[in-house]
């Protein structure tokens, strides 16, 4: 299959596309391994050389021209940026499997969301808890001494790879963990968000990294048991790390996978917190508000935007973006009249609004192109008339977000 529209595609990007197409066409597991080895080697080369533009070009080309290989390539790039085999230079026969792990905590509050450095005592306690509940008994674990927001984690694959390399060396040598350099200011408007611990776990090649791998026959049950133990032990330390907050712990996992899980699971908490925020700021009951649910996306629905107004009025007071994820986008693209209506994202949003006391709910039928404010870059929302507008709280509303830490 010839490459399309790739005149300016970097050489390695073109090779990766060709090999991925060959892998897709393979008819045997032996041939699969052949192409996988060559793809792996070329991806590792580009990560090591810091060649982020080539990796981005690969994904852009696949998404635009070969969607059938996009998920495969994205998964391989993510995998190699966060995991690798570490070879001891002094003992070449000694090899370690290394994985960069995110430990997600969903947090929601009326106050400001905490993040930043952790005390040595907190790091030690958290690492001991991870070793007891999550990681295999023979694994080595290193924990970064910070609580991170998603904006503070590496955005680029090459930066993730560098961080994983640095943390693996620190874990094996017992030296200080590297700091993640990007620390943007926190936005005061965040009512609910994810927070992350970042850990490195290493084990001799072929041995278990996670506790639930130690007894493979237990499968999903062991994962659930690890999560339950992690939640139970966190009940003592999280109140001190997250003052004035409510939280939910998710299962630690590979960095990219755990971040996606957190993004998806924070949405209901965010919506509930928005309703509570509005009722407190305007001193009204949830039933005083109306919500407009509208689909947005360029080629297909990729998110819903939820507008909040007072009942009987049209001014949008507040808005929230509910992003969709791959399985939800697939559900919408397959059928708009699914037999299982409970899976439809708009139904899920409406049910959650009703659960929180907002009963006046309108749905905008057409998919709209996402628009943003030219001045502040905030998302724009749909009012009850179908106009795209900026969300603005009344001047006399109690919108201050107090600091608690």
């Amino acid at each position: 299959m010839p490459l399309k529209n790739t005149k300016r595609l970097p050489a390695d990007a073109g090779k990766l596309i060709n090999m991925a197409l060959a892998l897709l066409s393979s008819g045997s597991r032996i041939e699969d391994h052949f192409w996988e080895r060559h793809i792996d080697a070329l991806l590792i080369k580009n990560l090591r050389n810091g060649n982020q533009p080539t990796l981005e070009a690969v994904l852009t080309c696949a998404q635009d021209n070969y969607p059938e290989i996009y998920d495969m390539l994205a998964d391989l790039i993510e995998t190699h940026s966060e995991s690798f085999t570490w070879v001891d230079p002094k003992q070449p026969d000694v090899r370690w499997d290394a994985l960069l792990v995110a430990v997600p905590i969903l947090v929601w509050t009326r106050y400001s969301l905490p993040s930043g450095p952790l005390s040595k005592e907190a790091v030690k306690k958290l690492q001991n808890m991870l070793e007891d509940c999550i990681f295999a008994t023979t694994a080595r674990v290193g924990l970064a001494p910070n609580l991170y927001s998603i904006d503070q984690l590496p955005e680029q694959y090459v930066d993730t790879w560098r961080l994983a390399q640095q943390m693996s060396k620190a874990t094996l040598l017992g030296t200080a963990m590297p700091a993640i350099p990007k620390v943007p200011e926190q936005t005061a408007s965040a009512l609910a968000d994810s927070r992350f611990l970042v850990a490195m776990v290493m084990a001799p090649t072929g041995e278990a990294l996670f506790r639930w791998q130690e007894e493979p026959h237990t499968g999903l049950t062991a994962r659930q048991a690890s999560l339950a133990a992690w939640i139970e032990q966190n009940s003592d330390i999280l109140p001190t790390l997250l003052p004035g907050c409510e939280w939910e712990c998710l299962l630690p996992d590979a960095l990219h996978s755990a971040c996606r899980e957190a993004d998806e699971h924070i949405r209901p908490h965010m919506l509930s917190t928005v309703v509570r925020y509005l009722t407190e700021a305007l001193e009204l009951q949830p039933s005083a508000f109306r919500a407009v649910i509208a689909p947005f996306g360029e080629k297909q629905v990729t998110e819903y935007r939820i507008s909040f107004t007072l009942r009987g009025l049209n001014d949008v007071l507040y808005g929230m973006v509910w992003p969709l994820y791959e399985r939800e986008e697939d559900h919408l693209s397959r059928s708009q009249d699914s037999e299982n209506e409970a899976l439809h994202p708009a139904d899920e949003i409406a049910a959650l609004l009703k659960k929180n006391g907002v009963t006046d709910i309108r749905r905008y039928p057409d998919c709209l192109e996402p628009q943003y404010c030219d001045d502040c870059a905030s998302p724009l929302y749909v009012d009850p008339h179908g106009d795209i507008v900026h969300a603005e709280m009344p001047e006399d509303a109690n919108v201050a977000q107090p600091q608690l830490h």
Side-chain angles (χ1 to χ4, degrees), residues 5 19 54 67 71 95-96 107 176 240 250 252 260 267 293 397:
N5 303 323
M19 289 190 290
T54 291
D71 289 341
R95 294 172 177 265
W96 296 79
V107 187
T240 61
L250 301 183
R260 279 193 293 270
R267 299 174 304 178
I293 306 171

Side-chain angles (χ1 to χ4, degrees), residues 45-57:
K45 169 195 162 186
N46 280 274
L47 286 165
R48 183 183 294 115
N49 292 340
N51 203 348
Q52 179 73 20
T54 291
L55 302 176
E56 293 176 354

Side-chain angles (χ1 to χ4, degrees), residues 3 24 40 46 62 83 119 124 169 202 280 291 302 309 339:
L3 292 177
L24 185 68
D40 290 347
N46 280 274
S83 64
S119 68
K124 183 178 180 180
K169 292 178 183 178
M202 304 180 70
E280 293 176 357
T302 57
T309 75
E339 293 180 0

Side-chain angles (χ1 to χ4, degrees), residues 118 123 127 142-148 167 177-178 180 197-200:
L118 301 173
V123 172
Q127 181 166 324
L143 182 64
N146 283 274
L147 185 66
Y148 296 105
M167 288 188 66
M177 281 289 158
I180 298 178
L197 302 169
V198 177
M200 170 57 63

Side-chain angles (χ1 to χ4, degrees), residues 78-389:
E78 286 184 358
T79 295
H80 286 295
S81 71
E82 67 193 8
S83 64
F84 53 91
T85 299
W86 194 90
V87 181
D88 189 337
K90 296 181 180 179
Q91 304 179 66
D93 293 336
V94 178
R95 294 172 177 265
W96 296 79
D97 289 336
L99 178 66
L100 191 62
V101 172
V103 183
I105 307 168
L106 311 181
V107 187
W108 58 100
T109 183
R110 176 66 172 86
Y111 304 96
S112 59
L113 297 174
S115 64
L118 301 173
S119 68
K120 292 182 179 179
E121 294 76 15
V123 172
K124 183 178 180 180
K125 186 171 183 177
L126 288 164
Q127 181 166 324
N128 289 339
M129 289 162 50
L130 287 167
E131 292 170 344
D132 290 343
C133 304
I134 301 299
F135 297 123
T137 52
T138 58
R140 295 193 185 182
V141 180
L143 182 64
N146 283 274
L147 185 66
Y148 296 105
S149 70
I150 188 68
D151 294 333
Q152 294 170 331
L153 298 179
E155 290 183 2
Q156 298 190 338
Y157 297 113
V158 296
D159 293 333
T160 302
W161 185 86
R162 291 192 190 104
L163 176 66
Q165 296 288 324
Q166 294 167 356
M167 288 188 66
S168 66
K169 292 178 183 178
T171 298
L172 285 182
L173 298 177
T175 56
M177 281 289 158
I180 298 178
K182 183 183 178 185
V183 185
E185 294 183 1
Q186 295 301 303
T187 56
S189 60
L191 300 170
D193 205 352
S194 304
R195 290 295 181 262
F196 299 91
L197 302 169
V198 177
M200 170 57 63
V201 58
M202 304 180 70
T205 295
E207 295 189 14
L209 292 172
F210 294 101
R211 184 65 57 118
W212 53 82
Q213 292 177 282
E214 293 181 322
E215 297 182 18
H217 62 278
T218 58
L220 182 61
T221 302
R223 292 176 68 95
Q224 294 169 338
S226 291
L227 177 58
W230 173 242
I231 292 172
E232 181 179 2
Q233 290 207 20
N234 266 304
S235 61
D236 291 333
I237 191 171
L238 285 188
T240 61
L241 300 182
L242 304 170
C245 298
E246 298 176 79
W247 67 84
E248 177 186 348
C249 293
L250 301 183
L251 190 67
D253 210 336
L255 181 78
H256 292 97
S257 177
C259 288
R260 279 193 293 270
E261 283 291 304
D263 282 347
E264 184 171 346
H265 283 81
I266 194 61
R267 299 174 304 178
H269 298 300
M270 188 177 296
L271 186 55
S272 299
T273 307
V274 166
V275 174
R276 186 170 62 183
Y277 166 74
L278 288 171
T279 59
E280 293 176 357
L282 298 176
E283 298 180 351
L284 295 169
Q285 294 299 312
S287 58
F289 296 96
R290 172 175 53 201
V292 180
I293 306 171
F296 281 79
E298 294 182 357
K299 296 181 180 179
Q300 64 181 34
V301 180
T302 57
E303 67 186 27
Y304 283 85
R305 295 188 183 181
I306 307 156
S307 315
F308 291 89
T309 75
L310 292 175
R311 296 183 72 160
L313 299 178
N314 297 317
D315 293 337
V316 175
L317 306 174
Y318 204 88
M320 174 193 155
V321 176
W322 182 287
L324 299 184
Y325 295 93
E326 183 180 355
R327 62 176 178 80
E328 296 168 318
E329 292 179 7
D330 289 345
H331 170 77
L332 290 177
S333 63
R334 284 195 303 270
S335 174
Q336 295 298 322
D337 299 312
S338 172
E339 293 180 0
N340 190 350
E341 288 296 331
L343 292 178
H344 196 289
D347 290 333
E348 182 182 355
I349 295 168
L352 187 59
L353 285 165
K354 291 176 181 178
K355 182 179 178 181
N356 284 275
V358 179
T359 56
D360 188 348
I361 301 169
R362 297 187 182 182
R363 299 192 192 185
Y364 193 80
D366 300 323
C367 183
L368 302 165
E369 184 175 342
Q371 297 184 39
Y372 300 86
C373 175
D374 293 334
D375 296 326
C376 66
S378 296
L380 301 181
Y381 297 90
V382 178
D383 71 11
H385 289 308
D387 296 326
I388 307 295
V389 299

